[in-house]
Amino acid sequence: MAQSTLIPPADAGIDSDYLNRQAAVLEGQTPLDVLRWAADRYAPRLTFATGFGPEGCVLIDLIGRHRLPIDVFTLDTELLFPETRELWQRLEQSYGVTIRGVTPVLTVAGQAAAHGERLWERDPGRCCEMRKVVPLRAELERVDAWITAIRRDQTPQRASALVTERDAKFDIVKINPLVRWTKRDVWAHILAHDVPYNPLHDRGYPSIGCQPCTGPVEAGEDERAGRWRGSAKTECGLHGPAIPATPALQEAQEG
């Protein structure tokens, strides 16, 4: 790995200028280089949150094969596809890694009792907030930096992402090793290294989230068109600008 010549300031963890300069240094380096830099700089207060998409499988492959000291977890909303759960087990077995499951305060039954049945149909934003955003926030409060699997070409909201940046929503460092990669790059790596992936991708599901809110995509549609189909929602809320606390957020945080 080509080492950075930047000297981090005392508060480099959340110094946006430093992170922007570091992003420029890392821009031309490989995802493995970025992961190694992140582990050297932030471990053990470093984590990777995966949703088991193709990009996440690539990063687990790199972390596992190179024995990088990076914590890995997934947001177990209790609404995952069976295929996703099977992939979770396959990845742990293939790479000898532990992928922690982080669950919401409320079970699905508890959420239904408190907020009504099938909240994801009536208010998907609130459902994502309680089952994804709040648990993620609790995990990220324990670390200085988190790794994501986002790519710039996935959505307009992600187009300006940097390799390293300050996460305004969670006020920690955000590291995006695959940000420069394309979908073709991701699948080339998966095929070259025989990386396990979700079989739903072969059945017309390019982007997979919770089972009730994910459907197949037709030819010519955007790869995230199957997420929250029929609503204006395009993101689950894990990536993006800081948001004010809502009643649902406060309720979940109070437990």
Side-chain angles (χ1 to χ4, degrees), residues 47-53 56-61 63-64 70-76 80 84-103 139 196:
T47 192
F48 169 44
T50 181
F52 300 114
C57 294
V58 166
L59 292 178
I60 291 170
D61 169 71
I63 291 169
I70 298 173
D71 173 63
V72 183
F73 75 91
T74 190
L75 297 172
D76 183 358
L80 303 179
T84 302
R85 293 194 176 279
E86 292 169 6
L87 174 61
W88 183 349
Q89 295 179 349
R90 287 176 59 206
L91 289 166
E92 288 187 319
Q93 294 167 358
S94 296
Y95 297 106
V97 299
T98 297
I99 303 172
R100 297 184 296 111
V102 175
T103 55
E139 288 298 308

Side-chain angles (χ1 to χ4, degrees), residues 199-251:
L200 290 174
H201 294 309
D202 296 328
R203 303 175 202 165
Y205 291 75
S207 178
I208 302 168
C210 294
Q211 189 168 8
C213 300
T214 304
V217 170
E218 301 296 332
E221 285 189 306
D222 180 86
E223 67 177 41
R224 290 179 67 84
R227 304 289 295 277
W228 307 285
R229 189 179 289 280
S231 82
K233 186 174 173 62
T234 60
E235 291 275 2
C236 55
L238 304 184
H239 305 287
I243 55 174
T246 65
L249 177 59
Q250 293 168 345
E251 288 171 15

